[in-house]
Amino acid sequence: MTTPAFLCEHPDANARSRAFRRVCATCGSYWDVDSLGEIVPYDAGYPEQRGHYDPRVGALKARTLRDWLRRGGIALEGKRACEVGFGGGSCLPVLAERAASVVGLEANDAAIERVRVSGVRAELLSVFRLPPRLDAPIDLWVFQDSFEHIPDPAAFLDWMLRNSAPNSQILMVLPRGDSFSQRLLGRLWPHKLPDHQFQWSRAGVLDFMRRRGFVAEREFYPLKFVSPQMVVAHFLHKFGAPPSVKKFLGGFSLALRFNFGEMGFVFRRRDA
């Protein structure tokens, strides 16, 4: 199967084929060849199937974001923040607690409408209908397991740069394609999903961001607050279990800190 050019922008020369992966010889990022033929619609069923609207899941996501902001040394006061790919919207109120203003970007129109009627203090926009210029530049961009979903990150970063304040920051957590868990689990890796077609390595994402003037000022090992039921539900979704099976997972009171093979960064804009 012919694969597209690597999103990390390194040359295809000497790329290696390993099982289901087409691996960049420069940085180790790769195309998941199994997933390239998949079409995953961002329709009303997408967030439902992934539990994005479950208030228990949302509470743990909000708790996780607060922890990442603290570990990243990020202050929100007086800033304009934008979450890229807000999903069920559970983290937008966390940003709105302290930020001067909040923008949320999402590919799913159904999620946008559902979050809008919740009354959250945020401007909600579709990534398919972005204005060339926002009303005001962004001081902090937040990517929580969303950067790996962007089909054309070069074009999106160009738009981001046009809408970024000087000295702006990016908080980014995403799967690490060259992680130990990926090498150990292979096809069983939790992040091997139909809508995760390109997996970034640490070197790949650092180099990609550096070329656009965003330099990593902090790197951290991102631990998520999850429940045992959330882990089970994720694997049920991964292996195609219908929602009728997952609904039998009851409530939970236990939250564990876990890493599924992700990497975390705080980037800061450093224009040449």
Side-chain angles (χ1 to χ4, degrees):
M1 177 181 182
T2 302
T3 56
F6 287 117
L7 298 185
C8 56
E9 300 179 323
H10 295 131
D12 291 355
N14 302 318
R16 306 180 301 275
S17 294
R18 295 182 175 177
F20 60 90
R21 298 179 297 141
R22 182 67 172 168
V23 185
C24 171
T26 303
C27 71
S29 301
Y30 66 87
W31 285 110
D32 184 330
V33 179
D34 291 345
S35 297
L36 276 176
E38 299 282 348
I39 298 177
V40 180
Y42 289 106
D43 56 15
Y46 183 94
E48 292 283 0
Q49 293 166 2
R50 290 154 180 80
H52 289 178
Y53 300 140
D54 188 324
R56 302 163 300 177
V57 174
L60 292 179
K61 288 181 178 291
R63 184 178 175 186
T64 295
L65 177 58
R66 289 189 180 95
D67 184 59
W68 289 348
L69 290 168
R70 179 187 59 79
R71 295 184 62 195
I74 295 173
L76 289 170
E77 286 74 14
K79 292 182 178 178
R80 182 166 167 83
C82 177
E83 183 177 10
V84 181
F86 57 77
S90 55
C91 289
L92 291 173
V94 175
L95 300 174
E97 286 171 358
R98 290 181 285 158
S101 61
V102 177
V103 179
L105 308 184
E106 179 51 57
N108 192 315
D109 285 336
I112 292 173
E113 290 309 310
R114 178 159 180 159
V115 173
R116 179 172 286 128
V117 300
S118 72
V120 64
R121 183 175 64 85
E123 178 185 3
L124 307 180
L125 300 172
S126 168
V127 295
F128 301 115
R129 296 181 293 276
L130 292 176
R133 294 279 184 177
L134 297 173
D135 292 340
I138 301 297
D139 300 294
L140 173 67
W141 301 90
V142 178
F143 292 85
Q144 298 186 90
D145 293 309
S146 58
F147 187 76
E148 67 275 13
H149 291 265
I150 299 176
D152 189 350
F156 188 77
L157 261 291
D158 288 344
W159 178 86
M160 276 181 58
L161 280 168
R162 293 194 298 272
N163 288 281
S164 290
N167 213 34
S168 59
Q169 292 177 293
I170 300 173
L171 172 66
M172 182 184 293
V173 173
L174 73 163
R176 179 171 176 172
D178 59 340
S179 64
F180 172 75
S181 62
Q182 190 285 319
R183 296 193 301 271
L184 177 67
L185 297 174
R187 281 189 166 88
L188 296 177
W189 192 42
H191 291 293
K192 185 183 176 0
L193 296 168
D195 51 343
H196 288 191
Q197 297 181 344
F198 189 80
Q199 299 285 6
W200 292 84
S201 69
R202 175 182 179 275
V205 72
L206 285 172
D207 190 39
F208 181 86
M209 299 301 291
R210 187 184 304 115
R211 289 196 299 272
R212 284 157 177 81
F214 286 102
V215 179
E217 64 177 6
R218 186 168 299 194
E219 184 173 354
F220 63 98
Y221 187 68
L223 293 168
K224 296 179 179 178
F225 287 99
V226 300
S227 71
Q229 287 90 337
M230 285 174 63
V231 176
V232 172
H234 178 88
F235 276 97
L236 286 173
H237 169 70
K238 176 178 172 61
F239 292 108
S244 59
V245 174
K246 290 181 282 186
K247 73 178 182 180
F248 289 108
L249 293 172
F252 54 79
S253 58
L254 176 66
L256 308 174
R257 290 162 64 89
F258 202 83
N259 183 295
F260 294 94
E262 296 96 356
M263 49 187 167
F265 304 98
V266 177
F267 295 98
R268 187 177 291 276
R269 184 174 182 177
R270 294 280 191 265
D271 288 331

